[in-house]
Amino acid sequence: MITTDKNQSASVIFILLGFSDYPDLKVPLFLLFLTIYMVTVMGNLGMIVIIRINPKLHTPMYFFLSHLSFVDFCYSTGVTPKLLENLVVEDRTISFEACLTQFFFTAGFVVIETFLLAVMAYDRFMAIYKPLLYTVSMSQKLCAFLVAAAYSWGILSSLIFTYTLIILSFCGTKVINNFLCEYTVILSASCSDKHFSEIIFFIVSNIDALCTLFVILTSYICIFVTIMKMHSGSGRRKAFSTCASHLTAVTIFYGTILFLYCVPNSKSSWLMVRVTSVFYPVVIPMLNPLIYSLRNKDVKETLKKLMNIEASTQ
């Protein structure tokens, strides 16, 4: 029985339609996504380098931010190259194994990012609630543990999701009205009973979402209460400014997810679904380093120094 399922799965071919029904937009979309990807790579890798070379940035907040940049880079790299390829080639097929591999990595990085955002919210709470004990409370060991926990749970969740797909049998050719391999699309191509897989996916994904949202909302409620108790107006503004970048990133990230799942499943909404799907794995990884760098004086100063050094060498 296992051999039969493997043979069936090996013969499965997915066709990623992407934006093929808009042939006139192929070249503009290719140039747009290529530009976005280049900015994403330079922005996230640049953020990691800046944090590493500037001793002022060797703090818990920037430690978490460097890992967020790494995850964004990997997440975008797992999706964008295939999107660019499908815009220039006629053969948009992808094998079952390649589709499953793309899903495994993208799902893992999504879960890791959600938990990193929750960890960063907790970090901002500790910085505002106990500023004098901040360096003691957020020790290097604790920061390393929190990051390791985020990666471990992300990998575990992705393994669980992927396993619930591998145990199914697949057959035939499946047309995907999108540009990436998503769980529901792969699941819909199955020829066997999907009830168990759907239940496991529902439970694990909701645990991931609810746990991270609980930490983020609780942290920001406590932050807001703490800021409101401050008597100094300048202290309030400074406290709000330290949270502004992270809160913006969280709002865009979860806002996009909520919007994507709230769009009705109809033919007229497919374009909106694809546009939102592009924004989620392609645009957000580009926005995060811009959001954190534009509102951060230390990052700006480091960038200016690097530019001055480069100019002097020339």
Side-chain angles (χ1 to χ4, degrees), residues 43-70:
N44 286 290
L45 295 184
M47 181 67 74
I48 295 172
V49 171
I50 289 172
I51 292 172
R52 292 293 176 88
I53 65 175
N54 189 347
K56 289 184 178 180
L57 304 181
H58 294 174
T59 62
M61 181 180 72
Y62 293 105
F63 174 72
F64 297 134
L65 180 56
S66 65
H67 282 278
L68 182 67
S69 295
F70 173 73

Side-chain angles (χ1 to χ4, degrees), residues 123-136:
D123 172 70
R124 291 299 81 208
F125 162 67
M126 294 303 297
I128 294 174
Y129 182 65
K130 295 182 178 180
L132 298 178
L133 300 175
Y134 173 62
T135 54
V136 177

Side-chain angles (χ1 to χ4, degrees), residues 10-306:
S11 63
V12 173
I13 297 294
F14 293 103
I15 302 175
L16 297 171
L17 289 182
F19 295 92
S20 59
D21 46 348
Y22 300 94
D24 296 336
L25 297 177
K26 282 185 179 180
V27 175
L29 286 175
F30 178 84
L31 295 175
L32 174 63
F33 294 140
L34 179 61
T35 303
I36 291 174
Y37 182 62
M38 291 173 63
V39 174
T40 300
V41 172
M42 291 187 292
N44 286 290
L45 295 184
M47 181 67 74
I48 295 172
V49 171
I50 289 172
I51 292 172
R52 292 293 176 88
I53 65 175
N54 189 347
K56 289 184 178 180
L57 304 181
H58 294 174
T59 62
M61 181 180 72
Y62 293 105
F63 174 72
F64 297 134
L65 180 56
S66 65
H67 282 278
L68 182 67
S69 295
F70 173 73
V71 170
D72 280 336
F73 164 74
C74 295
Y75 184 28
S76 179
T77 301
V79 175
T80 310
K82 187 62 180 178
L83 169 61
L84 293 172
E85 179 188 346
N86 285 344
L87 286 170
V88 296
V89 299
E90 294 298 328
D91 184 11
R92 300 182 183 86
T93 59
I94 181 172
S95 65
F96 174 79
E97 292 79 8
C99 197
L100 210 62
T101 301
Q102 186 192 58
F103 167 76
F104 171 79
F105 284 107
T106 53
F109 287 125
V110 168
V111 176
I112 293 170
E113 179 150 350
T114 58
F115 275 83
L116 282 177
L117 290 173
V119 168
M120 293 172 74
Y122 174 74
D123 172 70
R124 291 299 81 208
F125 162 67
M126 294 303 297
I128 294 174
Y129 182 65
K130 295 182 178 180
L132 298 178
L133 300 175
Y134 173 62
T135 54
V136 177
S137 302
M138 298 300 295
S139 63
Q140 290 184 352
K141 287 185 178 180
L142 178 60
C143 292
F145 170 77
L146 291 173
V147 168
Y151 279 96
S152 299
W153 183 251
I155 294 171
L156 179 61
S157 296
S158 187
L159 283 172
I160 294 173
F161 295 150
T162 306
Y163 173 74
T164 60
L165 294 174
I166 292 176
I167 61 176
L168 302 174
S169 59
F170 294 83
C171 53
T173 301
K174 177 67 177 179
V175 176
I176 300 177
N177 199 5
N178 212 321
F179 64 93
L180 77 164
C181 295
E182 294 181 315
Y183 187 88
T184 54
V185 172
I186 302 175
L187 190 70
S188 64
S190 173
C191 306
S192 57
D193 184 24
K194 312 163 191 174
H195 186 63
F196 173 77
S197 298
E198 290 173 338
I199 291 176
I200 297 299
F201 178 78
F202 177 81
I203 293 173
V204 176
S205 60
N206 276 278
I207 289 174
D208 293 341
L210 293 176
C211 286
T212 53
L213 277 174
F214 175 78
V215 173
I216 292 171
L217 292 175
T218 303
S219 297
Y220 273 103
I221 289 172
C222 294
I223 287 172
F224 182 77
V225 172
T226 304
I227 292 175
M228 288 297 100
K229 290 180 180 180
M230 293 180 179
H231 300 290
S232 171
S234 60
R236 288 183 180 180
R237 286 191 295 272
K238 185 177 180 181
F240 274 121
S241 65
T242 59
C243 301
S245 298
H246 179 259
L247 192 57
T248 303
V250 168
T251 302
I252 293 174
F253 185 83
Y254 281 97
T256 304
I257 296 176
L258 291 174
F259 181 80
L260 181 61
Y261 284 99
C262 287
V263 173
N265 188 12
S266 62
K267 290 183 179 179
S268 60
S269 66
W270 271 117
L271 178 59
M272 185 62 68
V273 169
R274 275 178 283 180
V275 171
T276 310
S277 298
V278 167
F279 194 84
Y280 181 42
V282 177
V283 180
I284 289 179
M286 176 194 69
L287 291 178
N288 280 342
L290 296 176
I291 291 170
Y292 283 99
S293 60
L294 291 175
R295 298 185 60 88
N296 194 291
K297 293 181 180 179
D298 293 326
V299 174
K300 288 181 180 179
E301 289 176 1
T302 307
L303 280 172
K304 288 180 181 179
K305 288 180 181 179
L306 289 174

